[in-house]
């Protein structure tokens, strides 16, 4: 029997080893491909954020600018009005009242809403025990809905069975009309706004205070500095940047106050609590004049933007020190 022919096997010739230059090129190409994939992923998430901001932040601003120069009733097509809405706005005598009330509200809020959170944070920073418990107590009002806070304080201010007047009667002190008097209504709203919003600022201040090196306070105490001197020469300089930022944010926020006047006073008494944003609401939803409402909101935007730019320019040197 004939033997089967042996299978021929072909052996591939050995490949020459890659040169070091080729290996380096391959590694660089792999790194570039990996970097491209990472960048594409990052830009994909960034584009999603940009789209969301464009739809819900930037486009409403652009739309408001357009509406401020148009006649708008949402029943017929908008028509171009030029500067007629602004002319109508500046003829309204309530405009001066609204800006004056807004400026007074902001000034009062700086006295209470800026100093009280900072002093509260300084006090909490001195505690060695139950600090977390007091943080929760201070921040608790922030977690309440603003309308609920306004309705609760409206009952506190009630001239009849209100909590504050009941306390004054118990102490045999004269009661107050609170929201029914044009001399106390605006200050009463500032107290509500301060109580409801001080928690966030207090925690930010407290976090800034805890970054101050303890050696600075020890050196100040060795030099005989009292509490006020430590606050003036150590605490405030070390937290100056946070103070400047929160001051700007508070001014911008209080200039847009709306919830407290709308829920608690309705702009009264005698228009003493009519603010700029409350006047925008009146134009839009009471007078059905959305063009003038847009013009007033655009004016507020321009004022706040100009103030922010001047503020940042004026405090630039202080923040860089």
């Amino acid at each position: 029997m004939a033997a089967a022919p042996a299978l021929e096997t072909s052996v591939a010739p050995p490949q020459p080893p890659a040169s070091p230059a080729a290996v380096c090129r391959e590694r660089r190409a792999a790194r570039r491909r990996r970097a491209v994939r990472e960048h594409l992923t990052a830009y994909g998430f960034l584009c999603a954020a940009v789209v969301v901001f464009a739809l819900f932040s930037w486009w409403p601003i652009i739309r408001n600018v357009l509406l401020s120069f148009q006649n708008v009733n949402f029943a017929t097509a908008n028509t171009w009005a030029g500067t007629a809405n602004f002319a109508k706005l500046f003829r309204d005598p309530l405009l001066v009242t609204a800006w004056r009330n807004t400026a007074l509200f902001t000034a009062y809020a700086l006295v209470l809403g800026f100093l009280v959170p900072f002093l509260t944070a300084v006090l909490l920073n001195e505690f060695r025990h139950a600090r977390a418990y007091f943080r929760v107590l201070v921040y608790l009002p922030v977690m309440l809905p603003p309308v609920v806070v306004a309705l609760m304080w409206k009952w506190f201010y009630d001239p009849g069975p209100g909590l504050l007047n009941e306390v004054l009667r118990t102490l045999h002190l004269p009661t107050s009309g609170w929201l029914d008097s044009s001399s106390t209504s605006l200050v009463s709203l500032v107290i509500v706004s301060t109580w409801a919003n001080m928690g966030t600022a207090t925690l930010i201040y407290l976090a800034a205070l805890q970054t101050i090196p303890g050696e600075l306070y020890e050196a100040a105490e060795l030099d005989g500095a009292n509490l006020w001197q430590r606050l003036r020469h150590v605490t405030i300089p070390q937290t100056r940047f946070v103070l400047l930022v929160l001051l700007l944010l508070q001014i911008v926020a209080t200039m847009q106050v709306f919830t407290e006047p709308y829920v608690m006073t309705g702009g009264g008494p005698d228009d003493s609590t009519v603010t700029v944003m409350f006047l925008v609401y009146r134009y839009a939803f009471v007078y059905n004049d959305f063009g003038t409402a847009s013009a007033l909101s655009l004016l507020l935007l321009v004022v706040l933007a100009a103030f922010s730019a001047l503020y940042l320019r004026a405090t630039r040197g202080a923040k860089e020190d």
Side-chain angles (χ1 to χ4, degrees):
M1 184 174 179
L7 296 176
E8 295 182 359
T9 57
S10 61
V11 179
Q15 297 292 332
S19 63
V23 173
C24 292
R25 286 195 298 270
E26 182 62 27
R27 290 178 179 176
R28 285 196 297 268
R31 285 197 297 267
R32 282 196 297 268
R33 290 192 296 268
R34 185 169 60 251
V36 168
R37 287 195 300 267
E38 293 175 353
H39 290 165
L40 288 178
T41 303
Y43 283 122
F45 285 110
L46 179 61
C47 290
V50 170
V51 170
V52 171
F53 272 100
L55 289 177
F56 297 102
S57 294
W58 302 329
W59 169 243
I61 296 175
I62 297 174
R63 180 64 173 164
N64 179 81
V65 174
L66 296 176
L67 291 179
S68 63
F69 295 97
Q70 295 176 340
N71 294 317
V72 184
N73 56 19
F74 294 113
T76 59
N78 298 345
T79 57
W80 188 256
T83 59
N85 292 326
F86 292 93
K88 179 180 179 180
L89 179 65
F90 286 114
R91 288 195 301 267
D92 188 355
L94 196 57
L95 178 65
V96 177
T97 302
W99 279 104
R100 183 180 66 248
N101 292 339
T102 302
L104 286 175
F105 185 94
T106 303
Y108 294 150
L110 290 181
V111 175
L112 293 177
F114 187 70
L115 292 179
V116 171
F118 182 72
L119 295 179
T120 303
V122 172
L123 180 62
L124 292 179
N125 194 49
E126 296 296 325
F127 291 167
R128 294 296 178 264
H129 304 285
R131 183 182 295 175
Y133 173 74
F134 287 109
R135 287 177 186 171
V136 173
L137 288 182
V138 171
Y139 193 74
L140 186 61
V142 181
M143 295 184 283
L144 297 176
V147 175
V148 173
V149 172
L151 291 175
M152 180 180 67
W153 276 87
K154 187 176 182 180
W155 174 73
F156 288 168
Y157 286 138
D158 192 289
L163 177 63
L164 296 182
N165 279 339
E166 287 295 332
V167 172
L168 293 176
R169 293 189 189 98
T170 303
L171 299 175
H172 303 288
L173 296 175
T175 60
S176 174
W178 302 110
L179 300 178
D180 296 333
S181 172
S182 57
S183 61
T184 59
S185 57
L186 198 62
V187 177
S188 300
L189 297 185
V190 172
I191 294 174
V192 177
S193 178
T194 301
W195 182 84
N197 300 304
M198 65 176 289
T200 302
T202 300
L203 293 187
I204 294 175
Y205 289 140
L206 186 59
L209 291 174
Q210 292 176 353
T211 62
I212 301 177
E215 294 81 1
L216 297 179
Y217 289 109
E218 294 175 0
E221 291 177 358
L222 291 176
D223 291 338
N226 55 30
L227 178 61
W228 164 248
Q229 290 172 333
R230 294 198 302 270
L231 180 66
R232 178 184 177 185
H233 297 290
V234 178
T235 304
I236 293 178
Q238 291 295 317
T239 59
R240 179 171 50 184
F241 177 75
V242 176
L243 290 170
L244 291 174
V245 172
L246 288 186
L247 177 61
L248 175 61
L249 295 179
Q250 181 172 347
I251 292 175
V252 172
T254 52
M255 287 289 289
Q256 303 177 68
V257 60
F258 170 74
T259 303
E260 290 82 3
Y262 174 73
V263 176
M264 300 181 68
T265 63
D270 300 327
D271 295 328
S272 61
T273 57
V274 172
T275 61
V276 174
M277 286 303 300
F278 187 80
L279 188 58
V280 171
Y281 165 80
R282 276 190 178 179
Y283 274 118
F285 300 104
V286 177
Y287 309 145
N288 291 322
D289 190 350
F290 293 93
T292 307
S294 300
L296 181 54
S297 60
L298 177 60
L299 180 62
L300 178 62
L301 172 65
V302 171
V303 170
L304 291 180
F307 169 78
S308 300
L310 293 175
Y311 179 87
L312 293 175
R313 183 177 181 85
T315 59
R316 181 185 305 169
K319 290 185 292 185
E320 290 175 354
D321 291 341

